[in-house]
Amino acid sequence: MCGIVAYTGSNQAFDFLIKGLQRLEYRGYDSAGIALLNGGLSVYKQKGKVQDLIELTKGKDVHGTTGMGHTRWATHGEPNQINAHPHVSQNGDLAVIHNGIIENYATLKEALLKRGHEFESDTDTEVLIHLIEDIRNHEGVDLLEAVRLALNEVVGAYAIVILSKNDPGTLIGARKGSPLVVGIGKDNEEFFMASDATPIVEYTRDVIYLEDNEIAHIANGELKVKTIQNVEKTPYIHKLEVTLEAIEKGGYEHFMLKEIYEQPKSIYDSMRGRFNKNDLTFAMRSLREYESKIKNLNRIIIVGCGTSWHAGLVGEYLIEEFARLPVEVEYASEFRYRDPIITEDDLVIAISQSGETADTLAALELAKEKGATIYGICNVVGSSIPRITHAGAYTHAGPEIGVASTKAFTAQVTVLTLIALGIAEIRGKITKERLRQVFAELEVLPEKVEHVLKNCADKVLEISERYKDAENFLYLGRGVNFPVALEGALKLKEISYIHAEGYPAAEMKHGPIALIDENMPVVVVAPKRGYYEKVLSNIQEVKARKGNIISIVTEGDDKVKSISDYAIEIPDTEDCLVPILATIPMQLLSYHIAVMRGCNVDQPRNLAKSVTVE
Ligand code: G6P
């Protein structure tokens, strides 16, 4: 995690750096810092958020047309001022910002200590900049070569930017495993670097995404890229498509709320142009190109983390139901370290909003090595996962900035629905009639989401007010709605810090039922379809122990409503699409409870949106 941003050009760097850090703050907010070249090298850093850094720099000299900034999610060393980035070299001439982990930093540090280096912080990053300086001094090479040689000694993941007091107008950036985007201003008058494109989009649409093991060197208004093996590269310039409005709050109090309300559109965008309901065909190139592979598949393995893993669980139900193909869903972090059995007839699907999650990326690399076909369902265009997969589908949900995932989840589930149907069609497991029914429902899904958002707002506020002080919450669901219960619980605990657990409704009696008393709110997904009667019995079991029932029911269903303390209605839809509609009130419930408890919903404590460490 951590966000990094840098600038060199004819304008003052400070405002760009601060605004850029605010855009990247979702990546970590333990501390923030900047470095500016202005004859000397000025470094300002502070524990806490970018706002604390702004306070620190008030009244200070922050001029300089070359600079860089960092917002940190702590890995090595507690989140304090000393461990904040930028870190400087022994003689103070060089500074670095870093996103990632230098795994062999202890060995490198030991060698440097023997050579007389002294360290201020506990970080792996400080070791790197000392190493670069050490190489430069002892090998008599220039800065770029020293960086290249140092990176050859480093084991781990990094996106870095380096500034040198004696090289004004120079930025050196490099990446391996963590993202780094380079923006090219008009007529090469200015250059930008950042962990993602959001700080840059306001200034230029021309960007290059550095590849692993590449170094970008900007000096004298010129950008050059080479590998750490010293091979010159001709960078490919991408045109950014993201708009400025998409990354701003647009009148909403929080990004999370904006993103919840964007779902009618993001769900529509995630399926737009991907199927034709008239001739019942798919226009998903990623599936068409792999038709023969799909016909011969043995199994699908889905990997992901957090909310994306929950989407994967929904995918498991959908693919097994429609395509009759066995699916396993794994936490990427577990999968990668347990020597999994993978064959060439497996399709491994990685789900990731950011496309950068270190564990998911590594799981996918492992599957690729073992000969599987690898497929990505990602949101961030140009991110690492889509670049290593054989095929994939973007979710097109637009930038998601709130740390708690909302619209990315519903877009992931929409895409998984299409994939399940597509695979079913290729393998001849679905009738035309069934396809027609689901396509028809998919088409009206955005409207139904809109309807849920409008209809449940007041009820959710009322429920939030009633339960905002609860200490525990239980979420229950069955079948395809079990992952929805998991996601509901995750959302609540992430942003309101209330302990919440998601459970398959029938499993409740094997443990959680012991927790139920008159203080326990239990959110139950109880649509009229699916295992309706069974869920009804589970609700009765909760009621019998005086638990409080908050049910999510199909419009017009009075039976569950009559035994619930609160009921939230959603329109009827196909079973496979209930997870999307049922998720929406849960997102709003978490949001309102968190706001009522005074929590920072967009930046919950200890979390980060893009987890580029394992
Ligand atoms: C973090 C975020 C979650 C996200 C998870 C996986 O924990 O806070 O919202 O679901 O990472 O991220 P990904 O980008 O791979 O979907």
Side-chain angles (χ1 to χ4, degrees):
M1 9 269 236
C2 302
I4 65 181
V5 66
Y7 175 86
T8 185
S10 45
N11 293 312
Q12 291 297 309
F14 182 77
D15 287 350
F16 166 77
L17 296 177
I18 292 293
K19 213 196 277 180
L21 287 180
Q22 284 169 327
R23 294 233 165 98
L24 293 176
E25 211 166 14
Y26 71 85
R27 302 177 68 89
Y29 28 83
D30 288 332
S31 63
I34 51 165
L36 292 156
L37 289 182
N38 42 24
L41 175 68
S42 307
V43 175
Y44 301 100
K45 50 191 190 177
Q46 181 76 321
K47 178 177 177 334
K49 304 215 164 168
V50 177
Q51 192 52 43
D52 299 299
L53 177 67
I54 295 173
E55 297 302 324
L56 175 80
T57 50
K58 269 190 186 147
K60 304 255 167 62
D61 178 8
V62 290
H63 83 280
T65 54
T66 299
M68 62 188 186
H70 185 271
T71 175
R72 177 169 187 243
W73 188 84
T75 56
H76 292 65
E78 68 171 279
N80 56 25
Q81 197 264 347
I82 289 181
N83 289 331
H85 299 214
H87 289 284
V88 294
S89 61
Q90 179 87 24
N91 67 10
D93 282 357
L94 306 178
V96 67
I97 50 175
H98 170 214
N99 167 31
I101 289 186
I102 309 295
E103 285 169 13
N104 60 338
Y105 85 104
T107 324
L108 297 170
K109 189 170 183 176
E110 213 176 284
L112 288 164
L113 282 167
K114 283 191 188 134
R115 292 214 283 278
H117 284 258
E118 286 166 14
F119 295 90
E120 279 188 358
S121 75
D122 307 320
T123 64
D124 50 339
T125 307
E126 191 185 9
V127 174
L128 178 61
I129 198 67
H130 278 244
L131 177 67
I132 292 169
E133 183 183 88
D134 194 75
I135 292 175
R136 186 167 75 163
N137 293 348
H138 288 94
E139 310 271 331
V141 292
D142 65 14
L143 179 61
L144 177 61
E145 183 61 1
V147 171
R148 191 184 74 76
L149 293 172
L151 293 180
N152 274 285
E153 288 189 33
V154 158
V155 178
Y158 53 79
I160 52 167
V161 183
I162 287 158
L163 289 187
S164 161
K165 189 153 105 185
N166 303 318
D167 299 275
T170 296
L171 286 181
I172 297 178
R175 79 156 268 173
K176 184 183 175 199
S178 302
L180 191 60
V181 186
V182 181
I184 304 164
K186 198 165 150 266
D187 301 327
N188 284 358
E189 271 170 13
E190 49 186 2
F191 292 89
F192 312 83
M193 290 188 184
S195 299
D196 72 29
T198 55
I200 298 176
V201 64
E202 201 174 334
Y203 304 90
T204 179
R205 302 212 154 251
D206 292 342
V207 297
I208 64 166
Y209 294 99
L210 275 198
E211 300 284 342
D212 275 352
N213 296 317
E214 284 184 352
I215 307 174
H217 180 230
I218 297 161
N220 308 317
E222 201 184 353
L223 163 70
K224 286 190 174 156
V225 177
K226 62 157 79 173
T227 67
I228 65 168
Q229 291 80 24
N230 218 4
V231 179
E232 302 278 339
K233 298 288 284 278
T234 310
Y236 175 74
I237 299 178
H238 294 255
K239 282 273 173 218
L240 284 179
E241 281 176 15
V242 62
T243 61
L244 198 54
E245 302 83 78
I247 56 169
E248 291 186 333
K249 278 193 206 150
Y252 284 90
E253 203 177 330
H254 298 101
F255 280 111
M256 183 179 175
L257 192 63
K258 176 186 176 226
E259 287 154 9
I260 291 173
Y261 276 90
E262 277 174 346
Q263 288 176 107
K265 178 171 186 313
S266 54
I267 290 169
Y268 172 72
D269 288 344
S270 68
M271 59 182 158
R272 188 173 45 171
R274 287 183 159 159
F275 65 90
N276 183 330
K277 81 165 194 327
N278 298 324
D279 60 10
L280 300 178
T281 53
F282 285 90
M284 291 182 79
R285 216 183 54 209
S286 56
L287 296 184
R288 285 285 159 245
E289 281 176 2
Y290 282 83
E291 262 194 53
S292 63
K293 188 99 210 171
I294 289 170
K295 281 190 178 135
N296 295 312
L297 280 181
N298 260 344
R299 171 178 73 148
I300 291 180
I301 301 168
I302 302 180
V303 293
C305 304
T307 290
S308 296
W309 181 75
H310 293 157
L313 288 177
V314 177
E316 176 181 22
Y317 283 92
L318 301 184
I319 296 170
E320 292 200 340
E321 180 196 332
F322 289 120
R324 307 306 300 152
L325 190 65
V327 180
E328 287 166 27
V329 186
E330 303 243 15
Y331 283 117
S333 53
E334 289 296 314
F335 178 80
R336 61 181 288 202
Y337 283 120
R338 65 167 182 75
D339 195 13
I341 300 162
I342 305 169
T343 72
E344 288 178 6
D345 294 327
D346 290 333
L347 174 70
V348 178
I349 301 180
I351 306 179
S352 173
Q353 188 286 130
S354 62
E356 299 290 348
T357 301
D359 282 320
T360 312
L361 195 57
L364 215 50
E365 275 162 353
L366 175 76
K368 195 177 189 181
E369 256 170 49
K370 294 195 178 234
T373 303
I374 60 169
Y375 189 98
I377 300 178
C378 296
N379 195 38
V380 177
V381 176
S383 54
S384 296
I385 290 176
R387 286 192 287 144
I388 66 157
T389 45
H390 296 113
Y394 281 118
T395 42
H396 296 306
E400 191 182 66
I401 292 163
V403 165
S405 187
T406 52
K407 64 174 179 172
F409 175 74
T410 48
Q412 287 164 347
V413 173
T414 310
V415 169
L416 281 160
T417 310
L418 293 177
I419 288 174
L421 295 169
I423 295 178
E425 196 246 4
I426 289 169
R427 292 171 68 93
K429 300 284 182 194
I430 189 163
T431 62
K432 293 264 176 227
E433 188 42 37
R434 188 76 190 103
L435 256 187
R436 187 170 293 116
Q437 286 164 355
V438 185
F439 279 173
E441 267 307 306
L442 271 169
E443 210 176 51
V444 293
L445 187 63
E447 276 163 47
K448 291 192 175 178
V449 170
E450 185 91 58
H451 176 80
V452 175
L453 283 165
K454 280 202 186 110
N455 244 27
C456 76
D458 291 344
K459 182 57 73 65
V460 172
L461 266 175
E462 190 188 335
I463 301 170
S464 308
E465 190 58 55
R466 164 71 181 80
Y467 294 108
K468 65 178 190 303
D469 298 318
E471 287 175 7
N472 297 288
F473 259 80
L474 199 57
Y475 284 74
L476 303 176
R478 276 186 104 119
V480 73
N481 293 313
F482 157 52
V484 176
L486 291 178
E487 176 58 11
L490 176 65
K491 218 68 329 167
L492 186 72
K493 77 181 115 182
E494 274 183 315
I495 60 168
S496 72
Y497 319 136
I498 294 175
H499 169 244
E501 279 189 57
Y503 249 82
E507 274 293 304
M508 176 191 61
K509 48 189 166 301
H510 299 290
I513 201 163
L515 302 172
I516 293 174
D517 60 15
E518 66 281 7
N519 298 317
M520 175 70 99
V522 182
V523 181
V524 191
V525 189
K528 190 81 191 161
R529 293 162 175 258
Y531 311 85
Y532 178 69
E533 295 296 339
K534 306 261 176 222
V535 178
L536 203 60
S537 310
N538 300 136
I539 293 176
Q540 297 288 14
E541 290 156 12
V542 174
K543 278 289 348 151
R545 277 127 194 120
K546 300 197 169 57
N548 292 209
I549 297 289
I550 303 161
S551 58
I552 296 176
V553 302
T554 309
E555 277 172 4
D557 171 19
D558 293 330
K559 215 160 159 188
V560 176
K561 224 170 158 182
S562 65
I563 53 167
S564 303
D565 296 84
Y566 295 91
I568 302 168
E569 293 186 320
I570 57 172
D572 190 25
T573 186
E574 285 286 336
D575 274 345
C576 60
L577 301 178
V578 172
I580 292 178
L581 296 184
T583 295
I584 310 257
M586 293 188 182
Q587 295 170 343
L588 281 172
L589 182 68
S590 314
Y591 172 81
H592 288 302
I593 289 182
V595 170
M596 287 172 187
R597 288 166 71 96
C599 300
N600 185 338
V601 287
D602 280 339
Q603 294 171 353
R605 71 182 178 210
N606 302 338
L607 297 178
K609 186 150 193 73
S610 181
V611 183
T612 52
V613 296
E614 42 174 290

